[in-house]
Amino acid sequence: MDKAELESFLKVLPPVDFCCVYGSALHPNNHEKSTMVDYILGVSDPEQWHSQNLKMNKRHYASWLAHLGGARMITQIADEIGVGVHFNPFVSWNDKMFKYGIVRMHDLVQDILNWERFYLSGRLQKPVHILVDNLDLENVNSSNLRAAISAALLLLPPKFTEVKKIVQGQFDLFQSRYKSFLEEYEAKELLRLTSYGSRQTNISQDCGLSVARHLVNTLPPMVRSQMGMKLGEKTKLSDSGQVIHEVLIGSRDEAAKCMQKVLRQKVLVSSARQAVSGLLTAGGVNAVRYLANKMCKAWKSLR
């Protein structure tokens, strides 16, 4: 789908502050018309937005939510059971299938900057097509991408290539998304790139303890705080007089394992909460389709 087609769906919804398309619909080799197009919509007040959308598109919601719960319950379920996102899946429009998730802009920004729930921030680390960006979230997301590289480097060996299973078929999209950050890390002599631009770019990195400390220091504050609770931390003053909490790292391997444990816990909790929220709000046949879709994705990830 081209940009005009993607934007056309937004015309049937209330205005949003942020919108991006993600997932398999962006895959260059995906020509299946049955593929669901996934949107993330950022709004200032989800309850108010749902109230408007219920008047415009009541059929997008589970019937029990539309008739009994209303906008307040939709928002409460997203905030208190889920991770702050309400998804309307399996929305049929113009002979295509759509799924859109509505999130409070404040929550979206916090997840991007802090990996508070590591849910939408993880999606925004992958290729996305931004259609609306009233608050320049693309610029804010640069810290998310930079932190993603730091986390990946901590887990990767001294030498590796850019081509991984997750980027197959989307190599060019990933490369354009991360190229400037890889070059930034190369300029700081944290990385060395050879044959850059080919599909088998070789990358080597310094695995010394000082570099590991630098990588940890570029992770989001909440992740560093949780790592500090496990490994210990020290405080020091920056040149500007600001108090900095630094994680105590005995070895690179120790830091990598601790970070991995923190992130896995976040993913596990967020995925479980969102799955329960999704089942509650999908309703009827869509709940069965939602569960089947999740099971299919889980099965594929294990293969």
Side-chain angles (χ1 to χ4, degrees):
M1 295 178 68
D2 59 27
K3 186 177 180 181
E5 286 182 290
L6 294 171
E7 288 178 336
S8 63
F9 179 62
L10 294 179
K11 294 176 182 178
V12 304
L13 303 173
V16 298
D17 292 317
F18 174 79
C19 171
C20 73
V21 180
Y22 68 97
S24 57
L26 295 180
H27 200 294
N29 300 323
N30 187 358
H31 303 296
E32 295 182 27
K33 292 185 178 180
S34 61
T35 300
M36 187 150 31
V37 185
D38 298 299
Y39 290 77
I40 295 171
L41 307 177
V43 301
S44 58
D45 185 340
E47 186 175 334
Q48 184 182 47
W49 192 91
H50 287 301
S51 180
Q52 289 180 294
N53 200 37
L54 281 166
K55 295 174 184 176
M56 298 168 65
N57 300 294
K58 185 179 285 189
R59 60 188 176 83
H60 291 183
Y61 297 83
S63 58
W64 77 271
L65 268 180
H67 293 97
L68 300 176
R72 177 171 292 183
M73 183 173 286
I74 292 168
T75 307
Q76 285 178 335
I77 291 174
D79 290 342
E80 296 172 18
I81 297 177
V83 291
V85 192
H86 170 84
F87 282 99
N88 281 335
F90 309 109
V91 173
S92 181
W93 181 79
N94 205 20
D95 296 325
K96 292 182 176 65
M97 195 71 74
F98 296 84
K99 178 179 77 176
Y100 60 94
I102 302 91
V103 62
R104 189 178 288 101
M105 284 298 296
H106 176 267
D107 294 345
L108 180 56
V109 170
Q110 285 304 306
D111 198 38
I112 288 172
L113 294 178
N114 285 321
W115 292 1
E116 193 167 317
R117 287 161 172 167
F118 204 49
Y119 191 77
L120 293 180
S121 53
R123 280 160 172 72
L124 289 171
Q125 289 168 5
K126 299 175 183 178
V128 296
H129 192 147
I130 295 177
L131 301 176
V132 179
D133 192 8
N134 294 342
L135 302 179
D136 197 16
L137 207 64
E138 186 170 18
N139 185 46
V140 175
N141 194 49
S142 62
S143 65
N144 181 28
L145 300 181
R146 188 177 287 106
I149 289 181
S150 292
L153 290 176
L154 276 172
L155 298 173
L156 287 166
K159 294 183 179 181
F160 56 95
T161 65
E162 251 182 333
V163 179
K164 301 290 177 184
K165 183 180 178 182
I166 195 170
V167 305
Q168 284 178 0
Q170 289 186 299
F171 181 87
D172 292 336
L173 292 175
F174 270 90
Q175 190 186 61
S176 63
R177 194 157 182 75
Y178 284 97
K179 182 179 179 181
S180 63
F181 299 104
L182 290 171
E183 290 174 344
E184 175 189 320
Y185 275 47
E186 184 180 29
K188 293 178 179 177
E189 299 185 349
L190 303 177
L191 286 178
R192 185 178 178 184
L193 309 176
T194 56
S195 304
Y196 192 81
S198 73
R199 293 185 179 273
Q200 288 294 332
T201 299
N202 293 317
I203 303 176
S204 58
Q205 62 169 323
D206 183 341
C207 289
L209 190 57
S210 62
V211 172
R213 289 193 179 110
H214 176 83
L215 294 175
V216 169
N217 286 336
T218 58
L219 294 174
M222 187 165 287
V223 175
R224 295 201 310 270
S225 175
Q226 290 175 333
M227 289 178 67
M229 290 173 65
K230 296 177 183 295
L231 300 177
E233 61 182 19
K234 63 179 180 181
T235 58
K236 63 178 185 179
L237 290 176
S238 68
D239 295 335
S240 60
Q242 184 180 4
V243 177
I244 299 173
H245 298 277
E246 192 171 282
V247 181
L248 295 174
I249 300 171
S251 70
R252 180 189 178 88
D253 186 55
E254 179 186 59
K257 286 180 178 177
C258 183
M259 180 199 68
Q260 195 170 37
K261 188 174 182 179
V262 168
L263 295 182
R264 278 179 175 170
Q265 181 68 18
K266 284 181 177 291
V267 170
L268 182 66
V269 172
S270 293
S271 297
R273 288 181 61 176
Q274 193 58 38
V276 173
S277 174
L279 278 173
L280 282 173
T281 55
V285 175
N286 279 348
V288 177
R289 294 171 74 184
Y290 176 86
L291 183 59
N293 191 274
K294 289 292 181 186
M295 289 176 67
C296 182
K297 286 184 177 179
W299 172 252
K300 286 180 178 179
S301 69
L302 294 173
R303 291 175 65 184

